Amino acid sequence: MKDKLLPLIAVGFPGGYKFFIVLLVTTFSGDMVANEFSKIFFWVALLVTFTGLPIASLMISTEYNISGKDKVTLVLISTMISFFIAHYIELNKYTLSVNVFVFISVLFLSSYEIVKQYFLNLADFVSIFIASSSTLVLFVFLFSVSSDNAGYILFFCYISLLLPIIFLYIFQKQKNILNYSTLADVFKGFFKYLVSNAASTSLMFAIPIVIIAELGDEVAADLAQIFYFSTLSYLIPRALSAKHIPNMRNKGIANHEVKNFFMTIFTFVVVAIGVALPLFYYFYEQWLVYILLFVAMQLSQLSLPFSNVLMVKGDVNTILKINLSSMLVFLIASLSIYYLFDKGVERGEWLLVTFCCYQLLKLHLGFIKSKIYLHQVK
């Protein structure tokens, strides 16, 4: 029971935590604060796909041993670059204090993703569980101190996420690694994952920002609820992924395990969509927009078994080709939609339909490209 429950909590916590925060803010902070918080919340999540997540992805592969100094260097440089681009595009509309909180939050969340991946590689779900429990307690306390400022809430959210897991990491007995990957090799891998994320994970966090622009700021809080409810439903797929990655790293890649992994996720996705459809229809006026977003996010999970195979083998080039080719098709289709439809709900719906098709294309390409690594059991 322990071996099954702890991976679920460890991997599902970030999505559940963010959903919990959005619910608290929308319930207790008022519509204006909730909408502002939701928009900058999306921006932090988007920026981290260019900073901490590429490093965490590199850490999954057995091909890289990254020193702490190189991790810090890459996080700082990538955070500054991505933040200034975001500031030029959108964040210049916010106050200086909000911008400072966004920048710090990106650093905090990036650090959290890296340290969490360290524990996941060790299959140390107990430490992640302890850190997650502490995070909840700390955030609730800080939120009770100030719940009427979007910038403060954002800061509280990510400082609460980082401090407990950093504390456990400091007191963790570290392995002595003699041969670290060179910074040049790490940077090449980092850049490939960064570009790959720009064509994949980043799109997932950019889509809500686009939909808010189409429908108006008043849907930001509801959209955040749907988005992070969707990530909460990643619980089963991501927990399975967290268990399969150490097995593939240590024992090799078995065809039947990848197939069983896919069928389990497929069943879960079908059930999740079936449950969400009547709930969204009953509770939300823009239910079709929200269900399309939910479906697209669930479809993205079907690619996990095949992307895990490629990541464990360190085949960054193939992942990059899959994501870039899929994104190119998506962008061409999206530009056509922008040309054919005026700004509003209908255009938002068609963009989300296209996003669903993009996820299916990625699934197909991932399945084809991962075939060469199957049956490789030590």
Side-chain angles (χ1 to χ4, degrees):
M1 181 66 180
K2 176 184 174 182
D3 292 339
K4 295 181 179 179
L5 183 60
L6 288 183
L8 280 175
I9 296 173
V11 181
F13 174 76
Y17 175 61
K18 291 168 186 175
F19 180 62
F20 171 71
I21 288 171
V22 169
L23 284 182
L24 273 185
V25 174
T26 53
T27 302
F28 296 106
S29 300
D31 291 342
M32 185 177 297
V33 173
N35 286 327
E36 181 183 4
F37 171 79
S38 298
K39 287 189 289 182
I40 58 177
F41 205 40
F42 281 130
W43 273 105
V44 170
L46 174 60
L47 294 180
V48 170
T49 64
F50 303 113
T51 58
L53 286 183
I55 300 173
S57 298
L58 281 178
M59 291 170 64
I60 293 174
S61 173
T62 54
E63 303 296 316
Y64 295 93
N65 287 315
I66 312 172
S67 70
K69 180 182 177 182
D70 289 348
K71 291 174 186 175
V72 171
T73 301
L74 287 172
V75 167
L76 287 174
I77 293 174
S78 59
T79 298
M80 286 189 288
I81 294 172
S82 60
F83 173 79
F84 284 123
I85 293 173
H87 184 270
Y88 176 78
I89 295 172
E90 173 74 18
L91 295 180
N92 58 78
K93 299 175 184 177
Y94 295 93
T95 64
L96 175 62
S97 63
V98 168
N99 276 270
V100 170
F101 285 132
V102 169
F103 182 81
I104 293 173
S105 296
V106 173
L107 289 175
F108 286 172
L109 184 54
S110 296
S111 302
Y112 170 81
E113 293 292 348
I114 292 168
V115 177
K116 184 186 74 172
Q117 189 58 55
Y118 167 82
F119 285 115
L120 288 176
N121 283 350
L122 297 176
D124 186 358
F125 302 115
V126 174
S127 293
I128 299 177
F129 172 74
I130 294 171
S132 301
S133 303
S134 303
T135 288
L136 279 177
V137 175
L138 181 57
F139 176 75
V140 170
F141 169 74
L142 292 175
F143 183 76
S144 66
V145 174
S146 178
S147 60
D148 58 356
N149 184 293
Y152 288 161
I153 298 171
L154 189 74
F155 176 77
F156 294 158
C157 165
Y158 292 115
I159 191 67
S160 300
L161 192 63
L162 179 62
L163 283 181
I165 202 166
I166 280 288
F167 181 82
L168 290 174
Y169 176 76
I170 291 172
F171 289 96
Q172 178 86 7
K173 186 177 181 180
Q174 307 292 320
K175 290 183 179 180
N176 291 321
I177 299 175
L178 300 178
N179 298 314
Y180 285 111
S181 304
T182 65
L183 180 58
D185 288 339
V186 172
F187 181 78
K188 288 177 183 177
F190 172 85
F191 183 74
K192 288 178 180 178
Y193 272 114
L194 185 152
V195 175
S196 180
N197 280 346
S200 178
T201 309
S202 302
L203 286 179
M204 186 71 75
F205 291 104
I207 280 290
I209 296 173
V210 172
I211 298 303
I212 290 170
E214 291 294 325
L215 275 65
D217 289 352
E218 63 274 8
V219 304
D222 284 347
L223 198 66
Q225 288 182 8
I226 300 301
F227 185 88
Y228 286 107
F229 174 73
S230 300
T231 61
L232 181 61
S233 66
Y234 289 177
L235 180 63
I236 300 297
R238 293 296 171 88
L240 289 171
S241 178
K243 291 194 69 176
H244 276 79
I245 285 175
N247 287 340
M248 287 192 290
R249 284 167 58 94
N250 299 325
K251 301 178 183 178
I253 298 167
N255 182 40
H256 69 279
E257 289 187 359
V258 175
K259 181 180 178 180
N260 291 339
F261 184 13
F262 174 78
M263 290 308 301
T264 303
I265 294 177
F266 177 79
T267 303
F268 178 80
V269 166
V270 170
V271 172
I273 293 172
V275 171
L277 181 57
L279 289 176
F280 291 1
Y281 179 78
Y282 181 79
F283 286 107
Y284 295 101
E285 181 180 350
Q286 299 292 349
W287 66 273
L288 183 56
V289 170
Y290 298 152
I291 196 64
L292 286 171
L293 176 62
F294 183 84
V295 169
M297 294 180 69
Q298 299 313 304
L299 291 177
S300 72
Q301 299 305 289
L302 296 177
S303 301
L304 269 179
F306 312 115
S307 61
N308 283 354
V309 169
L310 296 172
M311 281 196 290
V312 168
K313 299 306 293 184
D315 195 349
V316 185
N317 291 329
T318 297
I319 296 172
L320 184 59
K321 290 176 183 177
I322 290 171
N323 289 340
L324 285 176
S325 56
S326 301
M327 183 186 72
L328 180 61
V329 173
F330 173 70
L331 289 179
I332 292 172
S334 297
L335 288 174
S336 301
I337 291 170
Y338 271 94
Y339 177 77
L340 294 171
F341 297 92
D342 294 327
K343 179 180 179 180
V345 176
E346 187 178 14
R347 188 164 75 181
E349 291 170 350
W350 277 109
L351 286 170
L352 288 169
V353 169
T354 306
F355 195 52
C356 290
C357 295
Y358 156 82
Q359 299 295 354
L360 292 174
L361 177 59
K362 276 186 61 182
L363 169 63
H364 174 71
L365 294 176
F367 170 69
I368 296 298
K369 296 297 184 180
S370 65
K371 274 186 173 181
I372 61 172
Y373 296 116
L374 299 180
H375 302 292
Q376 294 185 10
V377 182
K378 293 179 182 179

